[in-house]
């Protein structure tokens, strides 16, 4: 996905300039860079990933050095509090204990904050998507955790897994 495609894909998110967000499982930064652009220079984006090489890629692409990099596993307690939003882009499908992680993450977000999830809308596990989270599964997770029902804001074709949803 190109930078402009990532920007367009996350456009429906209610992101305000100057907010504080975290991109968990940031990878090489496709969505981190798009989010940072939406947050502006007054905002803060924490990019978290266990892969140091991926974080270095973000650092190389982040010309303004506005993204704070964290070399950590997002499944561990991260210590974030009062975030305006969290983005999990193609990351939740690597987590076996999805309920526990989602409950834990909700404690890091402001009451009126946003938990944005980008996932593949399929239910077939494979080595690259071991614990799929299609939209119906996300709805069931939200219901079990007494979270607001998710709203599908956008979809985007995927080369490998039909489509992604936001």
């Amino acid at each position: 996905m190109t930078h402009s495609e990532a920007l367009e894909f996350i456009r429906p998110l209610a992101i305000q300039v100057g907010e504080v967000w975290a991109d968990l499982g940031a990878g090489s930064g496709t969505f981190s860079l798009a989010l940072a652009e939406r947050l502006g220079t007054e905002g803060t984006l924490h990019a978290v990933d266990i892969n140091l090489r991926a974080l270095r890629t973000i650092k190389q692409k982040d010309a303004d050095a506005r993204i704070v990099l964290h070399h950590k596993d997002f499944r561990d307690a991260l210590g974030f509090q009062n975030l305006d939003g969290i983005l999990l882009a193609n990351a939740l499908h690597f987590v076996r204990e999805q309920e526990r992680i989602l409950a834990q993450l909700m404690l890091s977000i402001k009451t009126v904050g946003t938990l944005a999830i980008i996932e593949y809308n399929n239910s077939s596990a494979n080595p690259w998507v071991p614990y799929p989270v299609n939209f119906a599964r996300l709805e069931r997770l939200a219901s079990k955790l007494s979270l607001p029902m998710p709203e599908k804001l956008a979809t985007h074709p995927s080369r490998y897994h039909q489509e992604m949803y936001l």
Side-chain angles (χ1 to χ4, degrees):
M1 180 177 286
T2 67
H3 180 69
S4 59
E5 288 172 326
L7 269 171
E8 181 61 25
F9 192 49
I10 66 167
R11 187 180 51 77
L13 289 174
I15 299 169
Q16 302 297 316
V17 170
E19 289 184 332
V20 179
W21 278 64
D23 181 6
L24 307 182
S28 59
T30 299
F31 291 104
S32 298
L33 294 161
L35 254 176
E37 186 170 323
R38 293 275 312 272
L39 294 170
T41 55
E42 303 85 17
T44 302
L45 177 67
H46 298 277
V48 178
D49 205 282
I50 196 167
N51 184 327
L52 189 56
R53 183 179 301 205
L55 291 173
R56 286 183 183 137
T57 301
I58 294 172
K59 186 175 184 177
Q60 290 170 351
K61 293 178 183 177
D62 182 23
D64 300 327
R66 61 186 172 206
I67 301 173
V68 181
L69 304 176
H70 301 268
H71 181 221
K72 296 182 177 183
D73 187 333
F74 75 85
R75 294 172 293 186
D76 298 334
L78 298 170
F80 293 130
Q81 295 179 1
N82 294 316
L83 293 171
D84 293 296
I86 291 176
L87 175 65
L88 282 167
N90 297 325
L92 191 56
H93 64 244
F94 289 110
V95 177
R96 181 187 307 249
E97 298 173 327
Q98 294 168 346
E99 287 179 46
R100 181 185 65 80
I101 291 299
L102 290 174
Q104 178 180 310
L105 294 179
M106 292 306 294
L107 299 175
S108 300
I109 301 174
K110 291 179 179 177
T111 305
V112 293
T114 301
L115 175 60
I117 296 174
I118 295 173
E119 275 297 342
Y120 300 111
N121 201 13
N122 70 11
S123 56
S124 300
N126 62 55
W128 302 274
V129 184
Y131 308 104
V133 188
N134 65 16
F135 195 73
R137 167 128 176 92
L138 184 61
E139 289 176 320
R140 289 191 302 275
L141 286 166
S143 179
K144 272 183 133 175
L145 293 167
S146 299
L147 298 175
M149 287 308 288
E151 180 182 349
K152 192 184 292 186
L153 300 176
T155 60
H156 189 277
S158 167
R159 259 186 276 192
Y160 309 107
H161 305 287
Q162 297 172 333
E163 74 171 10
M164 293 185 297
Y165 66 84
L166 165 66

